[in-house]
Amino acid sequence: MTNYLFNPPAVQSVAIRGRDERFPVNRLFFVGRNYQAHAVEMGKPVDKSVERPFYFTKAPQTLTPSGATVAYPPETKNYHFEMELVVAIGQAGFRVKAEDAHSVIYGYGAGLDMTRRDLQLVARDKGRPWDLGKDVEQSSVCSEIVPMEGQVIEQGAIALEVNGETKQSSNVDKLIWNIREIIADLSLFYHLQPGDLIYTGTPEGVGAVLPGDRITGRVEGVAEVALTVGPAE
């Protein structure tokens, strides 16, 4: 038995619809600018013919269950929501061919990539890492995982409201790089492992929230997600 100086962090996990077991989370990957209309609103349109997808990661400790209330984070005045379809990896895969991408999929969830936008944009414009803008405590919100082994979602409405007012409304079929392409490309850089979650990108309409705001979102045929923004600490 190994003795530690202090108790190590608990394993992060997500509920699985219809099962008593939970989905243990290994890593959190995020695809940047994967809807053209969002890329345009961020001032960085994407030309798929000459570009590849890019990614950032967040610590698994940022994972937060749907329905939670989280504190408005420190050192920001522009805290943004981003609604996303989440892919849950259930099988190991390295250099996975696009036509075989379905073989590593366990299921899907609905997620929020909460972002300190002001800090992200400062970092972006200065060529610095995005960590302070993206790797924010309690910022990776995820619904329960819906088992859909071997299935590739190609279309479905994706939407988000703040206090009941629609802010984002699009369709997963507008992904620049679809799920097969994302898995094939990401697995060139990483040995994908069971427990990895891939947040596939957000459509246009991102915006700021304030303490007291209630966020609700959904991916058609998958799940709903919700978050309440509490007072700053």
Side-chain angles (χ1 to χ4, degrees), residues 2-224:
T2 303
N3 292 321
Y4 296 102
L5 181 63
F6 48 84
N7 291 331
V11 174
Q12 300 298 309
S13 65
V14 183
I16 302 173
R17 182 179 295 174
R19 301 193 64 157
D20 294 331
E21 304 99 325
R22 293 181 64 85
F23 186 87
V25 173
N26 184 36
R27 292 173 293 188
L28 303 178
F29 295 104
F30 294 75
V31 185
R33 293 197 294 268
N34 202 22
Y35 287 80
Q36 189 65 259
H38 172 60
V40 169
E41 76 178 351
M42 296 300 292
K44 299 287 185 178
V46 174
D47 183 352
K48 187 179 181 180
S49 68
V50 296
E51 297 181 50
R52 291 176 66 175
F54 74 93
Y55 314 94
F56 57 92
T57 61
K58 295 190 185 188
Q61 288 75 22
T62 64
L63 195 65
T64 298
S66 175
T69 297
V70 303
Y72 190 91
E75 300 301 318
T76 183
K77 295 181 180 178
N78 196 19
Y79 196 44
H80 274 214
F81 54 80
E82 297 188 6
M83 180 69 206
E84 314 213 0
L85 169 66
V86 180
V87 181
I89 299 298
Q91 298 290 332
F94 181 55
R95 295 174 180 160
V96 180
K97 294 181 180 179
E99 58 266 31
D100 297 328
H102 61 278
S103 66
V104 303
I105 295 173
Y106 174 76
Y108 296 89
L112 299 172
D113 169 23
M114 302 299 294
T115 302
R116 285 189 279 223
R117 187 73 72 202
D118 42 3
L119 302 191
Q120 182 204 9
L121 294 181
V122 167
R124 185 194 73 180
D125 294 344
K126 291 186 176 182
R128 297 174 177 172
W130 290 8
D131 297 59
L132 291 179
K134 286 290 191 179
D135 194 21
V136 181
E137 293 172 344
Q138 298 184 300
S139 67
S140 304
V141 186
C142 193
S143 70
E144 62 184 358
I145 298 299
V146 181
M148 298 175 67
E149 292 185 72
Q151 297 184 46
V152 177
I153 292 178
E154 297 179 343
Q155 69 85 34
I158 180 170
L160 177 144
E161 302 85 34
V162 177
N163 302 326
E165 180 180 353
T166 299
K167 299 293 185 179
Q168 293 185 279
S169 181
S170 188
N171 196 292
V172 173
D173 65 9
K174 291 183 171 59
L175 286 167
I176 298 172
W177 287 279
N178 63 35
I179 290 169
R180 288 189 181 277
E181 292 169 323
I182 292 167
I183 289 173
D185 187 74
L186 186 60
S187 69
L188 296 175
F189 299 95
Y190 297 93
H191 292 74
L192 296 180
Q193 298 294 324
D196 289 339
L197 295 181
I198 305 172
Y199 286 63
T200 56
T202 193
E204 73 277 12
V206 299
V209 288
L210 297 170
D213 283 345
R214 171 77 169 173
I215 303 168
T216 52
R218 70 204 49 80
V219 178
E220 181 184 6
V222 179
E224 298 184 352

